[in-house]
Amino acid sequence: MICRTSPEVGGMGHSIKRKEDLRFIQGKGNYVDDVNLPDMVYGHMVRSPYAHARLKGINTENAKQLPGVLTVITGEDLAKANLAWMPTLFFDKQMVLATGKVLFQSQEVAFVVAEDPYIAADAAELVEVDYEELPVLVDPHKALDPDAPILRDDREDKSNHIFHWEVGDRAATDKVFEDAEVKAKVHAVFQRCHPAPLETCGCVADHNAATGRLTIYLTSQAPHAHRTLFAIVGGIPENNIRVISPDIGGGFGNKVPIYPGYVCAVVASLTLGRPVKWIETRSENLQSTGFARDYHMTAELAATQDGKIQAMRVKTLADHGAFNAAAQPTKFPAGLFSICTGAYDYPTAFCEVDGVYTNKAPGGIAYRCSFRVTEAAYLIERAVDVLAQELKTDPVELRRKNFISPEKFPYKSPLGWSYDSGDYDAAMKVALDTIGYDALRKEQQEKRAKGELMGIGISSFVEVVGAGPAHTFDIAGIKMFDSCEIRIHPTGKAMCRMGTKSQGQGHETTYAQIVAQELGIPAADVTVEEGDTDTAPYGLGTYASRSTPVSGAATAMAARKIRDKAKKIAAHLLECSEEDLDWEPGKFFVKGAPSKAKTIQDIAFAAYTNMPEGMEAGLEAVDYYDPPNLTFPFGTYICVVDIDKGTGEVKVRRFVAVDDCGNIINPMIVEGQIHGGLTEGLAIAFMQQIGYDENGNVQGGTFMDYLLPTAVETPHWETGKTCTPSPHHPFGAKGVGESPNVGSPAAFVNAVVDALSHLGVKHIDMPIAPWKVWNILKEKGAVN
Amino acid sequence: MAKKQLVQIKVNGRNREAMVEPRLLLVHFIRGIPGLTGTHVGCDTTHCGACTVLLDGKTVKSCTMFAVQADGCELLTVEGLMQNGKLHPLQEGFKEEHGLQCGFCTPGMLISSYALLSKNENPSEEEIRWGISGNLCRCTGYQNIVKAVQYAAGKMEQGGKDDLPNIA
C-alpha cells in the first residue's frame, strides 16, 4: 500500500503537470539540431541508389573542388584508421562507409563536410560512384535457397543464415500435437516498420584539440553505453568523451543503435578540429536506420475439444537486412520473443527462430517494445482467435477458460519466464463491462443479417519488461542495471541524476515524484537531469519499458539510503535514539510525540551545518539497481470496427484499453503513454510498412508512402485500469510505455478478421489497407 | 551559387533582414537568422507540420517556402505566442491537458491551433482534428491535444478577447 502524500508534495498517484512542458510550449526545447557551436561545419551522406552492387570506384575530386567543401571521407579512408566497419549491438559488424560493395539501398558510401549544409548537399551530388549491379535478395524465404546470392562475403560462413535459436521442449510439444483433438494454425507476417520519431537522428561532434576532449551531442536513448562504445571502437580514452543527449524528439527504439553518420561526424571533427553537425533527413531516417519487426511467423495451438489449450509451437523467420543490427540482450538473438505463450496456462511449448540476411536496411530494433515482445503478443493473440474460430467458440470465453489464474503467480511459463504477478480475468472483466460486450455481439448478429460488416477484436496481452536482472541481461557485455544519484542541497531542494534518458516520457516529473514519495520533498523542489555522461551515473538507458522498473527502483533505493542517514541526523537533532523515531513522508518525529519532529528540510540543513560527531557531511546517495526479475504488465484491449463494403475502409468505432501496470506514479502521464502507444498500434495495424520491390527499392522511404495517422484517422481512446503491483519492485510498479503498442495490433486485426469471419476469413496480414479488405470482399463474393 | 538577395521579414514583431541565397528555405531563415529554433524540421516532404508558422495570418509549412518568398511579410512563430511574460491560453492548455510528450511537434501544433481558433472560436472535436490534420504527432495520439485546444477555446471565451496577448 502506497501512503498518499499531499498534492503539494506530489508523490506517487498524483497527476501533477509536467515540469518539462514549460520550455517546450515556448519553443525553448534544446534538441540536437538546435545545438549551434562556433565554427561549426556540416556533414552530408552520399548513399547508394542500389540494393546490391559492387563498388568499382569513387571519385571525390569534383566534390572537393566545390568552394566551401572541407573534406570528403570514403570507406577506403576509414579503412586506413580501421574504422570502415563497426560492431553492431548483436555480434555482427556493419559498414560505416561502404568498401567493396553495398548491401542495401541508401547505404552510406561517402561523407561530405562543408561550411554550409546547402554546399554539403551540393557536393554530395558531385561525388561520382561507379557501381556494378549484383543480384538482389529481398525475400527472406529465398535467403537459404542454394541459388541465392551470398550477401556477406566478408563473413567466414558463406551463407545468408545468421542464427538458429530455439527454446522449449520440441519432442514433448510434437507429441501433444500428434495426439491433439483440435489444432489451429496461423501464418502471420509482422511487417517491417520503422519507429519514425518526429525528430530524426543526428549529432554534433566537437573535438577540442586543445583539451583533447570529444563532446558528442547525440540523439541517444542510451548515452552512457554509447560513450563506452565510442571509446572501445574509436580508441579514444573514455574520460575524454562526453556524450550529451539533450532533448530528444521521440525515440521508440530508433535511437538505441549507433549509426554510421555519428561515426563519420566524429571522424570529421577529429580530422578538421571543428564541430561537425550531421542531421538525417526523414528519407534517410526511414531508409537506413533501425527498422523493426520483419518477423515471418507460424504459430500452432493444440487444444482439447472443450477448449483447453495444451501446447504451442512456433516457427519464425527473422529478416535482419544486410547486417544484424538488432538491439537486444546478448543471450537473446530473438529478444524476449519466448513470451509468446501469452496469458494462458499450459505446460508445453516450443519456439524456434532463424535469422537471415537480405538486401535491406539493417536493424531489428525494439520499436516501442521490450525486444520482440510485440511480435510475440501479436502472434499468440492472433492464434487464440484462430483457435476460437476452429472451436466455433467465443474468443472471450476461450481466453477466460485458459487464463493463468491469480493464485498461480509467480507463474513459471513453459518457455522459462517467471511471471511476477497478474490477474488477467480482472482486466478482461473491466474491459467487457466498459465496452458492453454482450450487446455488441447481439448488434453484430443483427448487422450481419442485414449484410453489414462489424467486428469485435480482443487482445489479452502479457508483456515482459524492465531488463535486467544483470545475471541474464546485458547489451554488448554491459549488464542491464540502472542508476540514480540524489543530492539534497542544504536548503532541502534536491538534484536527481539518472542513467536513463527521456524521449518524451516525462522523466523530469515522474522521477521527482518518486523522490517526493520517498522523502517528502515536494516534486517541485526536485530537479531531474539526464543525458550528460559527465554528470549522471552510468546506466543503460531508456528502452524496453525499463525506466520505471529499473531506474525508478534505483531512485527509491537511493532515497531510502538518504532516509537512513536522515534518521541518524534527526535522532541527533531531537536528542533521542533512532529507535524512538517514526517517519511520515517529509519528517521524522518522536513516537507518541508528533510535535517533536524534524522535517527533511531541517535535516538537510543540519547535514551541512550541524551533523553528529563522526558523521560525514552531506546528504546524498547513489544506487545502481539490479532488478531481481523482470516485470510483467498486462491488459485487455477491445476494439470495435465497422467496415465500408464499398471501399474496404475500416473505421475504428470504439477502442477500450484496460491496462495493469502495477502501482502508478502519475496517472495523467500513464494515460498519455497509452494514447500514444495505441496510436502507434493503429498505425502498424492499418498503415505503416517499409516495403521493398524486387530490386530492393524502398517503398515507404518518405512520409508520402510511409503512412502515419493524423488526428483525423485516430479514434477517441477509452482507457481503464486494474492494479496488480509487482511484488519485487520497491514500489510495486511495472512500466507502461510500450503496453499499448504491444497489445493493440492484435486487437485491431482480430476485429477486422472477426467482421469477416462469417465469410471464412481467418487471417489478414498487416497493414490492413482498404484495398486489401476490398479484394477479400470481392474474392468472397461479398461485393460485386 | 546564385547571387544573394536582401530579405526583410518581420518575425514576432521584430524586423529581421539578411542577405540570403534565393534557395534558402524559410525554416532555415527562421532557425538561422534570428536563431529561433522552436520551429522544427521533421520531414522533407511537407507532411509533418513541425515547421508550421503563421505568415501574414495564414499557416504555412516553412520548409516548403523560400525565405525570399516571405520578403516583406509578417511571421508568427511559437516564440511569439507568449506576450509580456504571459502564456497564451493554448500554451497553458497544452501543459494543463498533457497535450505534449517529446515536444518536437508542439510548436507547429500550437501555431495550427492558433490559426484554427482565430477562424473558429468554439470548434467541435472534429473541427479541431481537421484543424491540426496537417501536423503529425508520434507521442500523444492527439486526444490530449484536442483537449488542450478545447481548454484554450474555453479560456479565451471566458476571458474575452481583450485578455489575450496582443500578437503581431
Side-chain angles (χ1 to χ4, degrees), chain A residues 3-17 509-510 513 516-517 664-669:
Chain A
C3 143
R4 199 162 166 90
T5 58
S6 69
E8 292 70 36
V9 170
M12 281 188 59
H14 289 289
S15 287
I16 64 170
K17 305 304 173 197
T509 306
T510 49
Q513 288 186 267
Q517 180 68 38
I664 287 174
I665 302 167
N666 183 320
M668 176 191 81
I669 288 180

Side-chain angles (χ1 to χ4, degrees), chain A residues 553-568:
Chain A
T555 309
M557 300 313 271
R560 289 173 195 181
K561 288 177 189 174
I562 286 174
R563 208 160 69 199
D564 287 345
K565 182 169 179 181
K567 193 175 191 180
K568 293 186 192 343

